[in-house]
Amino acid sequence: MSEKPTIEQYIKNIDEHNFKAYKCVGCGAVTAPPSGTCYSCGGNEMDWTTVSGKGKLVSFTVIHIAPEEFQEEAPYFVAIIELEEGTRITTRLMGFDPMAPENVKLGTSLVLDYEDGKSGRTYLSFKPA
Ligand SMILES: [Zn+2]
């Protein structure tokens, strides 16, 4: 894999249900865009890496008032997930009732899934493991 990672390809991978993160060539730290700079060493030489798809719930919120593009999908969860590889990404959270967020527990083990939104876009999402 010599192709330099781009945001466009990152989004395309998600559309194709083939999520990949960036891996710093310098120090091996895994990160998920939009940053093209390594949070660990500041390097900017990145390569693609596949990830386990396992993570834990760090934080979440319920979106009731959505941007116009996503209005049909509201209410929905947006969550921050810490991947097993160490990076944190913002994704949708599925498998819970957005009207009962008190049932969602931080630290819950989650696995990567994809959500084909009504808007026609595909999102990263996570669901209970
Ligand atoms: Zn690095």
Side-chain angles (χ1 to χ4, degrees):
M1 290 198 292
S2 56
E3 142 204 36
K4 190 175 168 62
T6 62
I7 293 292
E8 290 73 20
Q9 185 63 43
Y10 178 77
I11 293 167
K12 189 158 177 283
N13 287 344
I14 294 170
D15 278 340
E16 293 172 352
H17 292 201
N18 184 29
F19 174 66
K20 289 191 175 72
Y22 289 2
K23 184 174 189 173
C24 175
V25 173
C27 76
V30 172
T31 185
S35 173
T37 303
C38 177
Y39 64 86
S40 182
C41 75
N44 58 12
E45 201 182 338
M46 298 286 179
D47 204 350
W48 292 110
T49 185
T50 53
V51 295
S52 66
K54 293 178 190 160
K56 284 198 185 322
L57 183 60
V58 172
S59 174
F60 70 91
T61 187
V62 179
I63 306 296
H64 289 280
I65 311 296
E68 194 173 341
E69 185 185 354
F70 308 129
Q71 266 172 12
E72 280 184 58
E73 297 171 35
Y76 56 85
F77 287 103
V78 171
I80 297 174
I81 313 293
E82 184 167 294
L83 296 181
E84 198 173 66
E85 288 76 12
T87 192
R88 291 183 175 192
I89 58 176
T90 303
T91 81
R92 293 288 182 92
L93 176 64
M94 307 305 285
F96 296 99
D97 181 359
M99 302 308 287
E102 65 274 14
N103 294 337
V104 182
K105 299 280 178 277
L106 297 183
T108 298
S109 292
L110 301 166
V111 291
L112 176 65
D113 195 8
Y114 298 89
E115 169 70 4
D116 295 315
K118 291 176 189 148
S119 62
R121 287 182 52 188
T122 298
Y123 310 99
L124 287 180
S125 77
F126 276 76
K127 63 184 180 184

